[in-house]
Amino acid sequence: MIRQLSYLLVVLVGLSLSSCAVQSQPQGGPKDTTPPVIVKQEPAVGTLNFTGNRAVVIFDEYIQEKNLRTVISSAPELPGLKFVVSGKKLELVWEDQPMRENTTYRIDLGSAVGDLNENNPVNNLQFVWSTGAAIDSLQWHGQLAPGKGKTYEGVVVWLINPGDTTWEAPAFSKTVGQKPSIDFSYLPNKEYDLLAFQDLNFDGKPDTTREQYGFLKSCRPQVDSNLVAVSMLLEGYEAPSMDSAFADSMNAVLDTMVAEELGTLTIVVPPMDSVGRRFALTHSSGWFIERDFAANTDTLLWEVGDVFAGKYVVRGFIDANGDGMWNKASWGSNRQAEVILPETSFELKANWELEQTLNMPE
C-alpha cells in the first residue's frame, strides 16, 4: 500500500510539472529595428520609355503608412495621384493622360512607409522613370551642419525653383534619416534653392514661426557632386531672464555673504578671430550675468569674481551683427541663423578659486 501511494505521488508531481511547463510563455526576442525590404517595384528606378499611370512596390513584410498624404510629391506633377496600402503592397495611380515627352518623372514618398509592427521607415522611397530614351543623371550631395552629435532624423529637405518665395510645393523633396546627409539624384541640369526644415506639425510644409530651418541658395547639380555643408540649427538660443525683484534680492544676498561662503570664478575665453560672441553665465538658482566679447586672437579672461557656490552653465552664440541678440535664419534677408556655441557646465565650490575654460566649436 505504501509503495502504491509513493508511485501515485510521483505521478501527480510529474503531471503537475508537465502542466506548468505547458503553461509557461516563451521569452520575447529583440525588438525589430529593420525596415521592410523591397521585393518588387514597377516601374523600377531608372526605367525608360514608361508611359503608364500605375506604380507598385511590394515588400517582404506587411506595411503601414504614416502621414503619406502630406509627404508624397511628384515632379513634374501627376494629376490625381493617390495611393492604396494593402498588406505588403503599396499601389500608386494617377490620371490616365499623356505625360510630357522625353521627361524624367519622380514620385517621392519620404519616410512615410514602414513595417506594420514597429513602423521602421523605408527612408526616401521613390519611383523614377523617363518617358523617353534617356533619364536625368545629375546629383547633389550635402550634409546638415553642425552634424556631429545631432539627430536630424525627420528633417524635410526641399529643392525649390529659384525665386519661389511661396514655399507651396518643392521641385524635389527628401527626408533626412539617421545620418545628416542629403542626397538627390536623377536631377536635371538646372539650378535650385535648398530649404531644410523641421516638420513639427506633420503638415508637410515649413512653418517659419515655429519650426527651425536652414537654407542654401543657388545649388547646381553635377555629374559627381562634392559634399556641401548646409547650416541648420534644431533649436534656437533662449536668452535667460529674471525679474528685477528677484535680481535685486539675489544681489542683496550676494553682498551680505562672507568670502568663505563664496567661490572665486574666472572664465577662460578661447580665441575666435573675426566674430564677436555673447555669453550668459547662469547659476542653478536662476541668477545670471551676461558679457559680450569682441573678436579675439588671444585667450581672454573673464574675471567674474566672488559669486555663489553651486552649479553653473555658460551658454552663448556668435553675435555676427553685434546687436546683442540671437538672430534666427531669414530666407528673405538671405541670412543664416547665428551659430549657437556649445554649453559649458561646471560646479563652483565655496571658498575655492576656479578657472573654467569655455567649450568652443570644433
Side-chain angles (χ1 to χ4, degrees):
M1 185 65 160
I2 293 176
R3 181 178 300 173
Q4 290 177 338
L5 288 175
S6 299
Y7 175 77
L8 180 61
L9 180 60
V10 170
V11 172
L12 289 174
V13 171
L15 288 174
S16 176
L17 292 175
S18 175
S19 175
C20 291
V22 171
Q23 292 178 3
S24 64
Q25 297 293 330
Q27 296 295 320
K31 181 179 179 180
D32 178 18
T33 58
T34 305
V37 176
I38 295 176
V39 175
K40 183 179 181 181
Q41 184 173 359
E42 295 180 351
V45 172
T47 295
L48 303 177
N49 300 306
F50 180 77
T51 57
N53 72 317
R54 175 178 176 271
V56 176
V57 57
I58 300 175
F59 297 93
D60 64 342
E61 59 181 310
Y62 291 98
I63 60 171
Q64 62 174 315
E65 57 87 12
K66 185 176 181 181
N67 303 313
L68 180 55
R69 193 172 304 280
T70 61
V71 172
I72 189 171
S73 64
S74 62
E77 183 179 1
L78 293 168
L81 177 62
K82 56 185 178 181
F83 64 88
V84 176
V85 174
S86 176
K88 302 178 181 180
K89 181 173 71 174
L90 168 66
E91 182 175 7
L92 305 169
V93 294
W94 53 92
E95 292 182 11
D96 187 8
Q97 61 181 31
M99 291 184 284
R100 301 178 189 178
E101 295 183 356
N102 301 315
T103 301
T104 298
Y105 276 77
R106 176 199 302 268
I107 301 177
D108 286 304
L109 299 99
S111 302
V113 176
D115 61 48
L116 184 61
N117 293 326
E118 301 293 342
N119 196 32
N120 297 304
V122 182
N123 287 323
N124 298 314
L125 179 61
Q126 62 180 356
F127 291 84
V128 182
W129 69 86
S130 174
T131 56
I135 197 164
D136 292 333
S137 58
L138 298 185
Q139 54 187 309
W140 191 90
H141 301 300
Q143 180 169 300
L144 296 175
K148 187 176 181 180
K150 301 292 183 181
T151 302
Y152 291 96
E153 189 168 8
V155 169
V156 179
V157 181
W158 283 3
L159 290 183
I160 304 172
N161 292 317
D164 182 2
T165 58
T166 63
W167 292 0
E168 288 297 326
F172 300 99
S173 176
K174 283 280 186 179
T175 302
V176 177
Q178 294 182 349
K179 297 181 179 180
S181 57
I182 309 168
D183 298 297
F184 285 98
S185 54
Y186 303 104
L187 295 176
N189 186 15
K190 180 181 177 181
E191 190 172 83
Y192 295 97
D193 292 337
L194 181 145
L195 172 69
F197 63 94
Q198 293 177 294
D199 191 16
L200 298 178
N201 55 9
F202 301 107
D203 66 348
K205 296 181 179 181
D207 180 352
T208 58
T209 61
R210 296 180 56 251
E211 299 168 347
Q212 297 293 332
Y213 70 93
F215 63 90
L216 187 66
K217 296 186 178 181
S218 302
C219 300
R220 172 68 69 175
Q222 299 176 7
V223 174
D224 187 12
S225 173
N226 295 322
L227 192 67
V228 181
V230 179
S231 176
M232 181 183 179
L233 302 180
L234 296 177
E235 296 181 358
Y237 179 84
E238 293 188 10
S241 63
M242 59 181 173
D243 59 47
S244 58
F246 177 75
D248 291 342
S249 63
M250 291 297 291
N251 289 329
V253 171
L254 189 62
D255 290 339
T256 59
M257 297 178 69
V258 298
E260 289 74 14
E261 298 174 312
L262 304 173
T264 303
L265 177 62
T266 300
I267 302 294
V268 180
V269 183
M272 183 174 285
D273 56 0
S274 77
V275 290
R277 288 162 289 176
R278 184 174 180 84
F279 294 105
L281 170 69
T282 305
H283 186 258
S284 57
S285 65
W287 176 86
F288 73 92
I289 53 176
E290 292 182 289
R291 174 80 182 269
D292 293 315
F293 287 90
N296 60 297
T297 56
D298 297 316
T299 298
L300 301 178
L301 297 180
W302 177 5
E303 303 283 358
V304 181
D306 293 337
V307 289
F308 299 106
K311 294 183 178 180
Y312 284 87
V313 61
V314 179
R315 299 182 177 90
F317 62 93
I318 293 178
D319 191 9
N321 61 2
D323 66 353
M325 300 172 56
W326 179 77
N327 295 283
K328 65 179 183 179
S330 173
W331 176 279
S333 300
N334 199 24
R335 183 191 68 221
Q336 300 292 343
E338 290 181 319
V339 174
I340 298 175
L341 299 170
E343 290 186 0
T344 303
S345 300
F346 59 92
E347 183 174 0
L348 176 64
K349 296 183 179 181
N351 205 28
W352 275 40
E353 294 183 2
L354 175 65
E355 281 195 359
Q356 177 64 50
T357 302
L358 297 181
N359 296 324
M360 288 290 110
E362 295 183 358

